[in-house]
Amino acid sequence: MLQVNYIRENRDQVIERLALRNFKALELVDEVIALDERRREIQTESDALAAEANAAARQIGELMRQGKRDEAEAIKARSGGYKEQQKKLADEQALVEADLYEKLVLLPNLPHHTVPRGAGAEDNEVVLEHGHRPELPDNALPHWELATKYDIIDFELGTKVSGSGFPVYKGKGARLQRAMINFFLDQAEKAGYREVQPPILINEASGFGTGQLPDKEGQMYHVGIDNLYLIPTAEVPLTNLYRDTIVKETDFPIKLTAYTPCFRREAGSYGAHVRGLNRLHQFDKVEVVQLVHPDTSYEVLETMSTYVQSLLQALNLPYRVLRLCGGDMGFTSALTYDMEVWSAAQKRWLEVSSVSNFETYQSNRLKVRFKGENGKMQLAHTLNGSALALPRILACILEDNQTDRGIKIPEVLVPYTGFEWID
């Protein structure tokens, strides 16, 4: 959530940066400023009225002590309306603050100055490309056919049990999933992240804190009877561990990692591009999260991007890094890098990770603060990244490493799988 003081003091810049996102409801900026101005006016009026009431009370007390009862009663009669006026102001202030809050949560984060202009994915900037795209023979199979051929993933059985988008991993497919999870967690620990096993059901306050609510409410699974939500990513419970917390500046950077299943409704997603593992309702992911000092967050973002790339390099998967344009960024992000892996059989890029800096957008909602050297409370910066989401990684491992003998397991995973081939 944006800070009202910043909006008020930087109106033109806020409008310009929101326009970079192709955000249409720019009138909200002036509405927020007007409501904040009225809130401040009410507070000034309320403070002045309270001062008058206090002064009258002191004067009445002094007159009573002097035995001037008639004069005291006259002042008491004139000041009798103070309570009613104060209640009226308090009621108006409550309404104004509620309206202000409702409009503030509709404003997305402001893009960083390096975010390119653009309307959608086609306008994202390619930062770099790494590795060589494998050339497969004409009879090469996409991963969903390989999964059936080697009996490692059963999409139809998952549909029978739950519905489409809930695959069943079997045999070496299940072991490969577990191997990737353990490999990614071990690498995160080596990089200084502390492993956490968080809940996978969250309350509304947690969903609001990291920005999934109200923005993505329709994409989350809701357990209505208990008013809980299945997490779309471990970012949500991990970051919310520090909700309403004052951390020590010396604790930065706070680095957390977690493996969780993730759940997304993906409403409206259909077609060939979502076939197989390309888009699921339930999937496994290892997440990394950092809470850092504002002065270092963009340096940390680059470090996190490099770390995720190191995982893709270890798996020997060709990938590219995109800097997302204003029109393709998430609601809460100030700057996002997407990592995409080349699917040799599908002949297209598949997103496997997003690494984002949210600056103070999440921490303002979460109230994650620290006391700086000047003694003033400041908001921390929050960042997170997928390290990594498994489905499309598995899809590319299967497709890119298929041979006449079978599927060759990446060397770094062999100690975790206990086998070198799926055949």
Side-chain angles (χ1 to χ4, degrees), residues 301-311 313 319 339:
L301 179 66
E302 297 301 324
T303 301
M304 292 177 72
S305 171
T306 300
Y307 169 69
V308 173
Q309 293 178 56
S310 74
L311 299 177
Q313 292 167 17
Y319 69 89
M339 282 68 174

Side-chain angles (χ1 to χ4, degrees), residues 79 202 259:
S79 61
I202 56 159
Y259 153 70

Side-chain angles (χ1 to χ4, degrees), residues 227-299:
N227 196 27
L228 296 173
Y229 293 84
L230 286 164
I231 63 169
T233 166
E235 162 204 345
V236 183
L238 286 180
T239 314
N240 270 278
L241 295 176
Y242 288 87
R243 175 158 42 98
D244 296 321
T245 300
I246 298 174
V247 299
K248 296 179 181 178
E249 187 174 9
T250 53
D251 290 340
F252 291 139
I254 297 169
K255 303 173 69 174
L256 305 173
T257 187
Y259 153 70
T260 64
C262 302
F263 305 88
R264 299 181 186 180
R265 293 186 60 240
E266 300 289 3
S269 297
Y270 56 89
H273 68 289
V274 300
R275 193 170 179 183
L277 297 172
N278 288 344
R279 185 156 298 173
L280 302 175
H281 295 305
Q282 177 182 332
F283 61 95
D284 295 310
K285 181 157 69 82
V286 173
E287 188 81 359
V288 289
V289 166
Q290 290 205 41
L291 285 72
V292 303
H293 193 286
D295 293 346
T296 65
S297 67
Y298 280 95
E299 179 184 344

Side-chain angles (χ1 to χ4, degrees), residues 371-390:
K371 186 175 290 187
E373 291 182 358
N374 58 6
K376 293 183 179 180
M377 283 294 179
Q378 300 180 50
L379 293 169
H381 278 199
T382 61
L383 305 93
N384 69 48
S386 309
L388 292 158
L390 270 64

